[in-house]
Amino acid sequence: MFPPSVPSVAASAVPAGAHIVDVREDDEWVAGHVEGAQHIPLADVPVRLGEIPADADVYVICRSGGRSSRAVAWLSQNGVDAVNVDGGMGAWADAGRPMVSETGAEPFVR
């Protein structure tokens, strides 16, 4: 179940240089992610809150938008200006936005 409306933006509208937090699991991250994104699996977000900038907009992404929506709701309640990336990494890839993998192979959304 998604939290009630959280701030969201299309993947194509995430500004260059934005701080992106990827809340997917390790295997998903390794397969493909936004270059320069911060990887914090959803379950770790509460204990790693101090690593997330409190003085900038934070764009949160997952595979399709469900986990990131939950993270944005929680982060917003805890003082972070967080925005959900609508459609997640699937929408990111569909928009032709650049991705990298940790393996050196062609990145893909897992």
Side-chain angles (χ1 to χ4, degrees), residues 5-99:
S5 76
V6 296
S8 295
V9 65
S12 60
V14 175
H19 189 90
I20 298 173
V21 175
D22 189 322
V23 297
R24 296 176 302 149
E25 295 300 317
D26 292 342
D27 63 320
E28 295 172 291
W29 169 264
V30 168
H33 58 271
V34 177
E35 187 170 15
Q38 180 180 21
H39 181 224
I40 304 179
L42 180 62
D44 296 343
V45 169
V47 296
R48 294 179 62 189
L49 177 61
E51 297 176 34
I52 299 171
D55 59 351
D57 287 341
V58 174
Y59 294 82
V60 185
I61 198 165
C62 66
R63 184 178 52 82
S64 60
R67 288 173 284 179
S68 55
S69 181
R70 290 192 297 275
V72 167
W74 189 87
L75 289 167
S76 295
Q77 291 173 348
N78 287 277
V80 177
D81 290 328
V83 179
N84 185 46
V85 179
D86 230 4
M89 286 299 299
W92 186 273
D94 289 347
R97 303 290 304 258
M99 294 173 27

